[in-house]
Amino acid sequence: MAFDQEADARRDPSGPGRLEDDAPARDRLEEGRAGDDAATVVRHEERLRAGTERVEAGRLRLRKYVVEEPVREEQTLASEDVEEIRTPITEEEREAFLAGQELPVGEDEVILYREVPVVQTVRVPYQRVRLAVRRTERTEVIEETVRQERIDVQEPDDRA
């Protein structure tokens, strides 16, 4: 690819290869011609254009799944037991019975309680996990070989 910026600036949009009416440039072109049998060679050279291209480097995916894990926890439990306590009749109670009063008859009830373990699982939000893409930049030295055309004029050995 030719990078002749000066010639590009003078190009006439009316056709490829045509130059604007630049008298000094036209004169220089005509001076180099010796009639229609003049030889012309176009010299090319390569230039290095380094840039960047964004390519995929990998993919990451967040996937959520459930695992089960045994948990062991100690819990203290209480229970109530009955203890039978016997006490002698008081003197007042004895005298009341002997005086003809009847002893009260009836029932009484005691409710016993015990604690039992209660297990309940509760789902609570714990943590948010997200992936953040962080861009880092680095500088690399790019080495490439470019080619240039050279033109030498060779004169024939048998000049007349």
Side-chain angles (χ1 to χ4, degrees):
M1 182 181 298
F3 291 90
D4 189 3
Q5 294 175 347
E6 183 179 315
D8 285 346
R10 294 188 319 257
R11 295 239 184 258
D12 183 7
S14 62
R18 299 202 37 172
L19 296 178
E20 292 178 3
D21 191 18
D22 183 5
R26 189 179 57 230
D27 291 343
R28 283 193 305 258
L29 287 175
E30 289 176 0
E31 285 175 10
R33 292 187 180 172
D36 290 330
D37 58 347
T40 303
V41 176
V42 176
R43 183 172 86 79
H44 298 86
E45 67 182 25
E46 294 178 342
R47 301 269 172 100
L48 181 65
R49 285 190 180 172
T52 62
E53 179 182 359
R54 187 174 169 156
V55 297
E56 184 176 307
R59 292 177 184 234
L60 298 174
R61 177 179 293 150
L62 287 176
R63 182 179 53 196
K64 183 170 70 170
Y65 57 96
V66 177
V67 296
E68 294 182 359
E69 172 181 308
V71 176
R72 182 182 168 121
E73 187 175 301
E74 291 187 13
Q75 181 68 44
T76 302
L77 303 174
S79 62
E80 298 176 340
D81 295 319
V82 175
E83 181 181 342
E84 191 175 307
I85 302 173
R86 296 182 182 242
T87 58
I89 299 291
T90 64
E91 198 58 42
E92 295 164 355
E93 292 172 325
R94 186 174 285 135
E95 288 176 12
F97 176 72
L98 295 175
Q101 288 183 346
E102 296 211 13
L103 291 175
V105 180
E107 293 181 6
D108 203 357
E109 186 177 78
V110 174
I111 300 175
L112 302 175
Y113 293 96
R114 70 182 172 101
E115 293 177 344
V116 293
V118 176
V119 178
Q120 179 184 16
T121 58
V122 179
R123 197 173 96 176
V124 295
Y126 172 69
Q127 185 179 53
R128 181 181 314 276
V129 177
R130 67 185 184 96
L131 295 177
V133 176
R134 181 180 60 233
R135 180 182 168 129
T136 59
E137 293 183 358
R138 67 186 186 285
T139 302
E140 288 188 14
V141 175
I142 300 170
E143 294 183 13
E144 182 64 44
T145 302
V146 294
R147 299 178 301 166
Q148 296 180 353
E149 295 176 343
R150 301 281 190 232
I151 299 174
D152 290 330
V153 178
Q154 297 179 348
E155 296 183 21
D157 291 337
D158 56 336
R159 286 185 132 183

